[in-house]
Amino acid sequence: MNYTMDMMGNRRDVLRAGAAGLAVLSMGSHAQSGWPVKPVTVIVPFPAGGGTDAFARPLSGQFAKLTGKQLIIDNRGGAGGTLGASIAAKAAPDGYTLFMGAVHHTIAPSMYPKLDYDIEKDFVPLALLANVPQVLVVNPRNMPFADFKTYIEAVRKSPGRYNYGSAGAGTSHHLAGELFKQQTRTFITHIPYRGAGPALQDLISGNVDMMFDGLGSSAAHIKGGRIKALMVSGTKRNPAFPDVPCAGELGLPDYTVTTWYGMWAPKGTPADVQARIVEDLRKAANTDELKAIWASNGAEFGNLTPVQFGAFVSGEVKRWTAVVKASGAKLE
């Protein structure tokens, strides 16, 4: 059975929640807290060098320009991103500790039955910052194939010979690989890491053969020739890499896997501070600098209100629960 993971599948339900979100946003110009009066920490639940970092660090620079205060990136990798999420959930709800999570955090509830936090109950959704397609990338020395056709022929001829790295068990990298195996009837071995950054470095060095990575973290390495892109997910090519065929062209019309990144605050963060954070995030996203970086990474800014983003997250939790159950994916 095929499963479509297109993030826009929840759009209709999300838009119904939009009107309520406008009230929160409208408070931005009336915020009386004076936030920020000191540096703000963003917990990024993966090691440096991964997809989350690819968006968090440029955002940090623009935040400093807009507010005059630092946005400090605190990388807390481990357990498929759930370790950092647990730390963030317990932070003081004062607006000075934020959490930049990803699609992985809507997968985690169905993969980690004993989480000590709830992504829907212990956090306040603020903004969908970026969404990017997954891309199949290979080490060109390990897999010196000219195109997807020769690649898939080799993989089918040698079940178990090749492997793929992921950001950890239960991440979108992992399930993108499992979905690929289902739809192509192939077998490749999963090698979980403590984040996309370490997995990507091992891909570049040749310690793993391939990855199903978010385009944001792979883009610079594809352009530099260190890894090769054979396919982007979905039914259309990505403008940043127009020469890379999409899954729909290659006989996989239902292989649509999107990686997205969002910002949350701990539950209890004052409403006026929430509004000011959202206001500054939107201002940063609209700068020419960030627009250029997002475009070069093949990404789009998710233009949702906080309430719409919260509804989207709820929909993603339900969808990924079904996908995990159907795939039989387990922690390794």
Side-chain angles (χ1 to χ4, degrees):
M1 185 176 182
N2 293 336
Y3 294 86
T4 299
M5 300 180 195
D6 182 17
M7 66 168 292
M8 303 315 295
N10 302 317
R11 180 67 69 182
R12 187 179 299 108
D13 292 337
V14 165
L15 290 176
R16 292 193 187 107
L22 294 177
V24 175
L25 285 174
S26 68
M27 294 176 62
S29 60
H30 302 291
Q32 300 298 315
S33 65
W35 182 97
V37 298
K38 62 181 181 179
V40 177
T41 296
V42 174
I43 293 178
V44 171
F46 298 103
T52 318
D53 252 29
F55 297 99
R57 294 190 182 276
L59 181 64
S60 172
Q62 287 303 311
F63 180 89
K65 291 180 182 179
L66 288 170
T67 68
K69 301 297 179 183
Q70 283 184 289
L71 190 66
I72 300 169
I73 306 299
D74 183 6
N75 293 99
R76 298 291 190 98
T82 61
L83 177 61
S86 176
I87 294 170
K90 299 172 180 61
D94 56 7
Y96 291 98
T97 300
L98 304 178
F99 174 62
M100 187 167 172
V103 58
H104 318 297
H105 295 93
T106 57
I107 300 171
S110 56
M111 292 290 294
Y112 293 82
K114 296 182 179 180
L115 290 177
D116 64 352
Y117 70 91
D118 187 311
I119 192 65
E120 297 183 79
K121 296 179 180 178
D122 295 328
F123 290 96
V124 176
L126 298 175
L128 178 60
L129 297 176
N131 61 80
V132 295
Q134 296 277 91
V135 59
L136 168 59
V137 285
V138 302
N139 180 289
R141 297 183 302 280
N142 293 10
M143 307 190 80
F145 307 121
D147 52 27
F148 181 84
K149 180 181 178 181
T150 53
Y151 155 86
I152 200 67
E153 288 173 352
V155 171
R156 283 176 172 156
K157 285 179 181 178
S158 303
R161 174 181 174 180
Y162 300 104
N163 56 47
Y164 73 99
S166 82
T171 61
S172 64
H173 306 79
H174 174 201
L175 292 184
E178 295 304 305
L179 185 68
F180 180 84
K181 288 158 64 174
Q182 288 180 28
Q183 295 192 4
T184 58
R185 298 182 180 180
T186 56
F187 177 71
I188 48 180
T189 303
H190 175 223
I191 309 294
Y193 285 79
R194 288 176 60 86
L200 193 54
Q201 288 306 311
D202 262 16
L203 175 65
I204 292 167
S205 65
N207 291 327
V208 292
D209 301 316
M210 70 189 88
M211 276 186 72
F212 299 87
D213 193 25
L215 192 52
S217 49
S218 280
H221 301 295
I222 297 169
K223 292 174 182 176
R226 293 176 287 276
I227 54 179
K228 182 173 182 176
L230 296 179
M231 177 189 76
V232 294
S233 71
T235 56
K236 63 180 181 179
R237 297 193 179 201
N238 189 274
F241 294 89
D243 295 332
V244 179
C246 67
E249 295 175 63
L250 300 171
L252 298 171
D254 295 324
Y255 190 77
T256 303
V257 188
T258 301
T259 294
W260 53 262
Y261 305 96
M263 191 74 78
W264 286 261
K267 181 181 179 181
T269 300
D272 61 336
V273 174
Q274 293 178 41
R276 177 62 189 275
I277 296 168
V278 171
E279 182 181 2
D280 286 342
L281 290 175
R282 286 182 173 276
K283 285 180 179 177
N286 282 319
T287 61
D288 291 340
E289 292 91 340
L290 285 198
K291 284 181 178 179
I293 292 171
W294 262 230
S296 69
N297 287 336
E300 298 176 348
F301 178 71
N303 193 26
L304 303 180
T305 67
V307 173
Q308 288 174 331
F309 179 41
F312 171 74
V313 168
S314 296
E316 286 285 273
V317 169
K318 293 182 178 67
R319 180 164 47 170
W320 282 106
T321 298
V323 171
V324 169
K325 183 177 180 179
S327 71
K330 298 178 181 179
L331 294 177
E332 300 171 26

